[in-house]
Amino acid sequence: DWKLISKNLITGVWSSDEMGDDLIFTGGRTTRFTLYNPLTGSLRHSTEFLKPYFSNSDIVIMAFRHSNGDQWFSGNKGGGFVRIRAEDGGINHYTKDNPPGNFTWSYYTSYVEDDSGDLWFGVNKTPLLLHWNKRTDSFSEVLVDTIPGHMGKDYSAINRLIRDDQNNLWIGSDGSGIVKYDQTNNRAVDYRFEDGLASGVISSMAFDRKGRLWMGTPNGLNC
């Protein structure tokens, strides 16, 4: 049965993800967020503790938990990232103006964690991937058009990211189909409308238990 809980959440939910045993929701033109425990049905609302870091932001674009327990938040309007370290509760604030590494954009709509614990982010409305190296705590950017195997091919903005069991990143675009990126060996393969996709616009992606990739497009599902 469906259960209506939206009236008790932040209105205008922008993003949702798992945060330990909870689901986390952001939105509502505020840097606050809501935690909902589906087992107990309890709701908890955060304070504005993110506001000093996201001083110009009015939406938390993403909120998620890293496999090591760190909590990550991303704010719009140049807010960058806030990372709350699980080991000591300390806070790292990463922005394009004071980054550890190459970090020229500040709006991120998707992420994925690879086998090494590194994070990859899709940079909104661009063909850029932002890579956070866990070991060095530094950032670098990858332009999809420059990856060997895909080099020189036009690629529109990144919509979605997902990872398969072989640690490949699958990058769904806003008009150019899909790129399968073997980031370990820095190689790529692309799949487009002429390869059988219903549309070059990929709005969602998910793997099933048989390892098949399902893709939502404006013209229906692909597998």
Side-chain angles (χ1 to χ4, degrees), residues 121-188:
F121 300 94
V123 183
N124 186 55
K125 297 183 179 180
T126 76
L128 279 171
L129 283 170
L130 181 68
H131 174 211
W132 176 70
N133 187 302
K134 177 185 175 185
R135 181 179 60 83
T136 62
D137 187 21
S138 62
F139 291 87
S140 60
E141 288 175 340
V142 177
L143 183 62
V144 175
D145 297 355
T146 65
I147 301 171
H150 185 74
M151 193 176 296
K153 299 180 181 179
D154 291 335
Y155 191 81
S156 56
I158 295 171
N159 272 351
R160 293 289 182 268
L161 296 173
I162 197 170
R163 182 179 65 89
D164 64 24
D165 291 340
Q166 287 74 49
N167 204 34
N168 297 304
L169 304 184
W170 292 77
I171 308 166
S173 83
D174 196 35
S176 303
I178 287 180
V179 170
K180 175 186 176 183
Y181 178 31
D182 175 2
Q183 45 90 12
T184 303
N185 299 300
N186 195 35
R187 298 290 301 177

Side-chain angles (χ1 to χ4, degrees), residues 45-119:
H45 302 284
S46 76
T47 65
E48 286 275 16
F49 76 94
L50 289 171
K51 191 61 179 177
Y53 305 97
F54 296 156
S55 57
N56 295 320
S57 303
D58 54 15
I59 295 175
V60 176
I61 302 301
M62 287 193 302
F64 64 92
R65 184 177 181 179
H66 190 278
S67 62
N68 68 358
D70 291 354
Q71 296 179 14
W72 285 74
F73 303 88
S74 178
N76 67 339
K77 298 183 179 180
F81 295 106
V82 165
R83 170 187 166 214
I84 303 177
R85 302 188 303 271
E87 60 184 9
D88 57 9
I91 293 179
N92 293 61
H93 186 206
Y94 309 107
T95 70
K96 68 182 183 64
D97 298 320
N98 186 28
N102 187 7
F103 187 174
T104 60
W105 295 81
S106 295
Y107 199 117
Y108 308 94
T109 56
S110 53
Y111 81 95
V112 70
E113 181 179 341
D114 67 21
D115 284 348
S116 64
D118 289 6
L119 294 172

